Amino acid sequence: MIHYKTEEEIDLVRESSLLVAKTHAEIASFLKPGVSSLELDKIAEEFIRDNGGVPAFKGYNGFPCTLCMSPNEQVVHGIPNKKALIENSILSVDCGVLMNNYYGDSAYTYEVGEVDLEVKNLLKITKESLYKGIDMAVVGNRIGDISFAIQNHAELNGYGVVRELVGHGLGKSLHESPEVPNYGRRGSGQKLKKGLVIAIEPMINMGTRKILQHNDGWTITTLDKKPSAHFEHTIVVREGKAEILSSFKEIEKIING
Ligand code: MG
Ligand code: MG
């Protein structure tokens, strides 16, 4: 069953999503070669709690940390650790916050130091795919219109679209109906109605779309060990144009100086 949100509920999801955005910006200012993902995780947890939120992922099905931190060939659900981040690598960071009983959820793939042009292009196209999906998230369209837009843009650029992990509804729960796949047919699936709050989150691989689940029960990597990128916004379906409830503005202000 889908729970369509009232404007009051959307306001609460927006507040949680903006705390997610500010948490990203907070860690973005520390993210560089030599720093460990576990150090960034501690900074994020403290920042979220200082601002009245609760880390949404910590303890979720037993996940041990605040952020999912997935470097290079890790697609999603990487566990922060003490290893130093290295120059010419990427780090996908997924952050969720619970505040006032409503969740926000957003992911961003960061460049660590100077990064090869072909990897920069993977990040660019993955982010573009997300926005092409969001453009389709309007009243009267269907879930498949979002899915197709994402898949089409990624595959036209020669990249692999992960099938096994999908976007989702959210609100009082971190994962609600409907599922929002990053691949699919135009005009298929659930019709989009006003007040539908969803996280759209393409996971795009430089090589094969195939993935591998590690025996830590969490980490997912690409089968060919080539890099993977992940960008995610929490949005609400509206008439004519979706409203993005999370934000990359705070992050990009930091990383673009
Ligand atoms: Mg997420
Ligand atoms: Mg999500």
Side-chain angles (χ1 to χ4, degrees):
M1 217 191 66
I2 294 177
H3 175 62
Y4 297 92
K5 272 72 180 175
T6 64
E7 288 301 326
E8 288 74 20
E9 290 182 290
I10 292 166
D11 287 344
L12 294 172
V13 176
R14 190 187 298 105
E15 281 181 34
S16 298
S17 300
L18 288 179
L19 179 50
V20 170
K22 287 177 190 158
T23 305
H24 267 287
E26 179 71 11
I27 63 147
S29 62
F30 293 95
L31 200 159
K32 54 174 186 272
V35 175
S36 76
S37 52
L38 195 60
E39 287 173 70
L40 298 175
D41 191 76
K42 293 223 163 71
I43 292 167
E45 177 169 8
E46 200 174 299
F47 186 82
I48 290 168
R49 294 192 192 279
D50 283 350
N51 284 279
V54 174
F57 302 158
K58 196 163 189 173
Y60 185 87
N61 293 329
F63 190 77
C65 294
T66 291
L67 304 173
C68 293
M69 302 277 240
S70 312
N72 304 315
E73 77 279 7
Q74 291 190 10
V75 179
V76 285
H77 302 168
I79 301 172
N81 61 45
K82 288 180 175 168
K83 267 184 255 167
L85 300 178
I86 55 167
E87 179 80 25
N88 194 14
S89 66
I90 55 171
L91 182 67
S92 294
V93 178
D94 198 348
C95 180
V97 159
L98 174 64
M99 193 165 62
N100 300 317
N101 298 317
Y102 284 84
Y103 284 92
D105 187 7
S106 176
Y108 197 92
T109 299
Y110 296 86
E111 299 177 9
V112 184
E114 277 304 313
V115 170
D116 291 344
L117 268 181
E118 59 165 6
V119 177
K120 273 184 193 284
N121 195 57
L122 173 69
L123 306 194
K124 174 174 172 277
I125 298 298
T126 305
K127 202 201 294 180
E128 285 173 6
S129 299
L130 167 61
Y131 285 110
K132 285 186 184 287
I134 293 171
D135 284 345
M136 291 294 119
V138 294
V139 172
N141 276 355
R142 291 179 183 271
I143 291 286
D145 295 309
I146 300 172
S147 306
F148 174 83
I150 293 169
Q151 179 184 13
N152 188 53
H153 189 60
E155 290 184 349
L156 278 176
N157 283 279
Y159 296 138
V161 178
V162 173
R163 302 287 204 271
E164 293 85 346
L165 300 137
V166 296
H168 50 92
L170 72 163
K172 279 189 174 171
S173 300
L174 180 57
H175 296 111
E176 297 181 359
S177 286
E179 290 195 339
V180 185
N182 298 305
Y183 67 97
R185 290 201 333 271
R186 265 190 279 218
S188 69
Q190 185 78 39
K191 208 160 192 181
L192 303 177
K193 293 190 207 162
K194 200 170 140 249
L196 178 67
V197 173
I198 48 176
I200 304 179
E201 49 178 316
M203 287 148 255
I204 307 297
N205 299 345
M206 186 173 277
T208 178
R209 67 176 174 83
K210 299 221 170 79
I211 58 168
L212 193 73
Q213 162 91 62
H214 286 234
N215 50 19
D216 61 8
W218 286 106
T219 314
I220 308 245
T221 56
T222 56
L223 194 63
D224 59 9
K225 295 195 167 67
K226 288 186 179 169
S228 179
H230 182 209
F231 287 86
E232 174 183 32
H233 269 314
T234 296
I235 67 117
V236 58
V237 171
R238 295 198 183 275
E239 210 66 75
K241 193 173 176 32
E243 180 190 345
I244 303 175
L245 300 172
S246 49
S247 169
F248 293 158
K249 278 187 211 118
E250 293 77 2
I251 299 170
E252 290 175 351
K253 218 197 261 173
I254 299 288
I255 61 185
N256 298 325

PDB file of all heavy atoms in Angstrom, residues 57 94-95 105-107 168 201 230 232, ligand 1:
ATOM      1  N   PHE A  57      20.547   4.843   9.447  1.00  0.00           N
ATOM      2  CA  PHE A  57      21.077   3.531   9.046  1.00  0.00           C
ATOM      3  C   PHE A  57      21.682   2.766  10.222  1.00  0.00           C
ATOM      4  O   PHE A  57      21.765   1.541  10.195  1.00  0.00           O
ATOM      5  CB  PHE A  57      22.156   3.675   7.952  1.00  0.00           C
ATOM      6  CG  PHE A  57      21.698   4.384   6.702  1.00  0.00           C
ATOM      7  CD1 PHE A  57      22.617   4.989   5.854  1.00  0.00           C
ATOM      8  CD2 PHE A  57      20.344   4.465   6.373  1.00  0.00           C
ATOM      9  CE1 PHE A  57      22.204   5.652   4.696  1.00  0.00           C
ATOM     10  CE2 PHE A  57      19.927   5.124   5.221  1.00  0.00           C
ATOM     11  CZ  PHE A  57      20.860   5.729   4.383  1.00  0.00           C
ATOM     12  N   ASP A  94      26.232   7.372   1.428  1.00  0.00           N
ATOM     13  CA  ASP A  94      24.775   7.367   1.550  1.00  0.00           C
ATOM     14  C   ASP A  94      24.430   7.747   2.985  1.00  0.00           C
ATOM     15  O   ASP A  94      25.004   7.200   3.929  1.00  0.00           O
ATOM     16  CB  ASP A  94      24.234   5.967   1.216  1.00  0.00           C
ATOM     17  CG  ASP A  94      22.753   5.987   0.889  1.00  0.00           C
ATOM     18  OD1 ASP A  94      22.089   7.009   1.124  1.00  0.00           O
ATOM     19  OD2 ASP A  94      22.247   4.953   0.399  1.00  0.00           O
ATOM     20  N   CYS A  95      23.526   8.724   3.125  1.00  0.00           N
ATOM     21  CA  CYS A  95      23.179   9.228   4.455  1.00  0.00           C
ATOM     22  C   CYS A  95      21.660   9.253   4.634  1.00  0.00           C
ATOM     23  O   CYS A  95      20.939   9.714   3.753  1.00  0.00           O
ATOM     24  CB  CYS A  95      23.745  10.641   4.623  1.00  0.00           C
ATOM     25  SG  CYS A  95      23.380  11.394   6.222  1.00  0.00           S
ATOM     26  N   ASP A 105      16.749  10.831   2.900  1.00  0.00           N
ATOM     27  CA  ASP A 105      17.718   9.859   2.376  1.00  0.00           C
ATOM     28  C   ASP A 105      18.366  10.445   1.118  1.00  0.00           C
ATOM     29  O   ASP A 105      17.643  10.850   0.195  1.00  0.00           O
ATOM     30  CB  ASP A 105      16.933   8.571   2.043  1.00  0.00           C
ATOM     31  CG  ASP A 105      17.805   7.389   1.655  1.00  0.00           C
ATOM     32  OD1 ASP A 105      19.034   7.475   1.756  1.00  0.00           O
ATOM     33  OD2 ASP A 105      17.209   6.355   1.248  1.00  0.00           O
ATOM     34  N   SER A 106      19.689  10.537   1.109  1.00  0.00           N
ATOM     35  CA  SER A 106      20.371  11.091  -0.074  1.00  0.00           C
ATOM     36  C   SER A 106      21.801  10.572  -0.150  1.00  0.00           C
ATOM     37  O   SER A 106      22.468  10.417   0.869  1.00  0.00           O
ATOM     38  CB  SER A 106      20.367  12.623   0.009  1.00  0.00           C
ATOM     39  OG  SER A 106      21.096  13.198  -1.052  1.00  0.00           O
ATOM     40  N   ALA A 107      22.248  10.316  -1.376  1.00  0.00           N
ATOM     41  CA  ALA A 107      23.607   9.794  -1.589  1.00  0.00           C
ATOM     42  C   ALA A 107      24.349  10.646  -2.613  1.00  0.00           C
ATOM     43  O   ALA A 107      23.732  11.246  -3.510  1.00  0.00           O
ATOM     44  CB  ALA A 107      23.544   8.337  -2.062  1.00  0.00           C
ATOM     45  N   HIS A 168      12.935   3.857  -3.682  1.00  0.00           N
ATOM     46  CA  HIS A 168      11.851   3.424  -2.787  1.00  0.00           C
ATOM     47  C   HIS A 168      11.034   4.605  -2.291  1.00  0.00           C
ATOM     48  O   HIS A 168      11.538   5.735  -2.227  1.00  0.00           O
ATOM     49  CB  HIS A 168      12.473   2.705  -1.586  1.00  0.00           C
ATOM     50  CG  HIS A 168      13.585   3.501  -0.935  1.00  0.00           C
ATOM     51  ND1 HIS A 168      13.374   4.362   0.118  1.00  0.00           N
ATOM     52  CD2 HIS A 168      14.908   3.613  -1.234  1.00  0.00           C
ATOM     53  CE1 HIS A 168      14.509   4.944   0.452  1.00  0.00           C
ATOM     54  NE2 HIS A 168      15.465   4.516  -0.359  1.00  0.00           N
ATOM     55  N   GLU A 201      17.465   6.717  -6.909  1.00  0.00           N
ATOM     56  CA  GLU A 201      18.890   6.501  -6.603  1.00  0.00           C
ATOM     57  C   GLU A 201      19.598   5.569  -7.585  1.00  0.00           C
ATOM     58  O   GLU A 201      19.870   4.410  -7.279  1.00  0.00           O
ATOM     59  CB  GLU A 201      19.061   5.995  -5.175  1.00  0.00           C
ATOM     60  CG  GLU A 201      18.181   4.836  -4.753  1.00  0.00           C
ATOM     61  CD  GLU A 201      18.517   4.415  -3.308  1.00  0.00           C
ATOM     62  OE1 GLU A 201      19.705   4.316  -2.977  1.00  0.00           O
ATOM     63  OE2 GLU A 201      17.579   4.175  -2.528  1.00  0.00           O
ATOM     64  N   HIS A 230      26.896   6.416  -7.312  1.00  0.00           N
ATOM     65  CA  HIS A 230      25.564   6.397  -6.693  1.00  0.00           C
ATOM     66  C   HIS A 230      25.164   7.820  -6.314  1.00  0.00           C
ATOM     67  O   HIS A 230      25.856   8.462  -5.514  1.00  0.00           O
ATOM     68  CB  HIS A 230      25.630   5.507  -5.434  1.00  0.00           C
ATOM     69  CG  HIS A 230      24.329   5.344  -4.707  1.00  0.00           C
ATOM     70  ND1 HIS A 230      24.282   5.125  -3.344  1.00  0.00           N
ATOM     71  CD2 HIS A 230      23.037   5.360  -5.132  1.00  0.00           C
ATOM     72  CE1 HIS A 230      23.015   4.991  -2.966  1.00  0.00           C
ATOM     73  NE2 HIS A 230      22.244   5.135  -4.026  1.00  0.00           N
ATOM     74  N   GLU A 232      21.613  10.053  -5.116  1.00  0.00           N
ATOM     75  CA  GLU A 232      20.234   9.852  -4.650  1.00  0.00           C
ATOM     76  C   GLU A 232      19.638  11.147  -4.107  1.00  0.00           C
ATOM     77  O   GLU A 232      20.292  11.848  -3.337  1.00  0.00           O
ATOM     78  CB  GLU A 232      20.230   8.802  -3.523  1.00  0.00           C
ATOM     79  CG  GLU A 232      18.873   8.607  -2.857  1.00  0.00           C
ATOM     80  CD  GLU A 232      18.925   7.605  -1.697  1.00  0.00           C
ATOM     81  OE1 GLU A 232      19.958   7.515  -1.018  1.00  0.00           O
ATOM     82  OE2 GLU A 232      17.912   6.906  -1.493  1.00  0.00           O
TER      83      GLU A 232
HETATM   84 MG    MG B   1      20.231   6.268   0.552  1.00  0.00          MG
END
